[in-house]
Amino acid sequence: MELVIKKQSKRRLGMTLLFTVMMLVIAVAAYTFLILKHDPTLVNLGERLWPTSMEHPLGTDHLGRDVLTRLLLGGQLTVGYGLLSLLAAVIIGVPFGVIAGFKGGMIDRIFMRIADAFLAFPNTIVAIVLSGLLGPGIENLLLAIVLVKWVNYARLVRSTVITESQKDYITAAKINGLSPFRIMRKHLFPHLIGNVLVLSSLDLGKIILLISSLSYIGLGAQPPAPEWGAMLNDARPYFQSNLLLMIYPGLAIVFVVLLSNILGDYLRDAFDVKKEVES
């Protein structure tokens, strides 16, 4: 009884944290669109490298652009594109995993060979190669991330479907004449939701790091887009004279990634997901 209460408490805490993160994202977006008055791409060399002031709470960068405005809009771009690529990877990977795990046979063997090909190299290396082949740009970077990440969700879902399909209640459902669609909808999807949600929350931080890293080396968002990784790269020449230009986007990346990992840990404990999610 105590274990059940503890698990329910963790689940409520995880859902509360998820709701808090969503509200924080919405609040930042609303603040950016409704209150901020500076153009994040407007160059004003007469105000370059200004310190903090009432007009510019975090100062200005080397081109006279307001750092706070670029930081908040960069959060929308970095986190927004991260969520978009994550959603696309889930939408592609989950159906593949369900079909491969439920049907088996030749379909499953073909899928496993495709998955092995993608997993033969680290995700970062594959994303860099694909981004280099497709060309610099945030759209090509997102496509590369989706091509890299969908396999993780397909493998997770496939493993869960195979495990659950061998249990007695699935056999009973088949004997009672339930269609494959009803079996997946009523019996398999409830088991998949928790696993996919936990992996997604843990993956979001990794995707944000990947977007920022590739933008830092010039394969992601292109100037003058206010992306956190690109802001780090722009501030690199001023590391000694104006360190804060690198600290602000760096702290933003650390905060979002840390928050994503904490959320993933709470959700993993709440849904009692096995360690296969972390692989």
Side-chain angles (χ1 to χ4, degrees), residues 41-62:
T41 61
L42 181 63
V43 175
N44 186 356
L45 296 179
E47 298 181 359
R48 65 188 304 269
L49 299 177
W50 275 17
T52 59
S53 63
M54 292 297 294
E55 181 70 14
H56 303 286
L58 298 183
T60 61
D61 66 4
H62 62 294

Side-chain angles (χ1 to χ4, degrees), residues 129-278:
V129 171
L130 290 175
S131 298
L133 292 174
L134 295 172
I138 193 66
E139 295 80 7
N140 292 336
L141 173 57
L142 296 184
L143 178 59
I145 291 175
V146 172
L147 291 175
V148 166
K149 287 295 182 180
W150 75 271
V151 179
N152 297 336
Y153 295 92
R155 287 180 67 246
L156 174 66
V157 170
R158 171 187 174 273
S159 175
T160 305
V161 169
I162 291 176
T163 301
E164 295 298 323
S165 297
Q166 296 173 351
K167 295 184 177 179
D168 293 339
Y169 73 94
I170 297 294
T171 304
K174 293 178 179 178
I175 294 174
N176 289 330
L178 267 69
S179 65
F181 177 76
R182 289 195 64 189
I183 292 175
M184 286 188 286
R185 181 174 61 85
K186 293 187 63 176
H187 299 291
L188 295 180
F189 278 123
H191 291 278
L192 300 177
I193 291 175
N195 290 359
V196 172
L197 186 60
V198 172
L199 182 58
S200 298
S201 60
L202 292 172
D203 245 358
L204 179 59
K206 298 176 184 178
I207 291 175
I208 289 174
L209 278 178
L210 195 55
I211 292 175
S212 300
S213 300
L214 268 64
S215 295
Y216 179 81
I217 62 176
L219 292 176
Q222 300 299 301
E227 196 279 327
W228 288 341
M231 290 177 65
L232 280 172
N233 186 44
D234 290 341
R236 185 166 45 88
Y238 306 93
F239 176 76
Q240 293 183 338
S241 61
N242 201 328
L243 181 60
L244 290 176
L245 288 180
M246 293 193 73
I247 288 180
Y248 292 140
L251 285 178
I253 295 172
V254 170
F255 174 75
V256 173
V257 172
L258 183 62
L259 193 61
S260 171
N261 289 337
I262 293 174
L263 175 61
D265 288 339
Y266 276 121
L267 292 178
R268 182 186 56 197
D269 294 339
F271 288 99
D272 196 20
V273 177
K274 296 181 180 179
K275 290 186 177 180
E276 64 184 26
V277 169
E278 298 179 349

Side-chain angles (χ1 to χ4, degrees), residues 95-105 107-108 111-112 154 158 161-162:
F96 268 97
V98 170
I99 294 172
F102 197 76
K103 291 293 184 181
I107 296 177
D108 188 32
F111 163 74
M112 287 306 297
R158 171 187 174 273
V161 169
I162 291 176

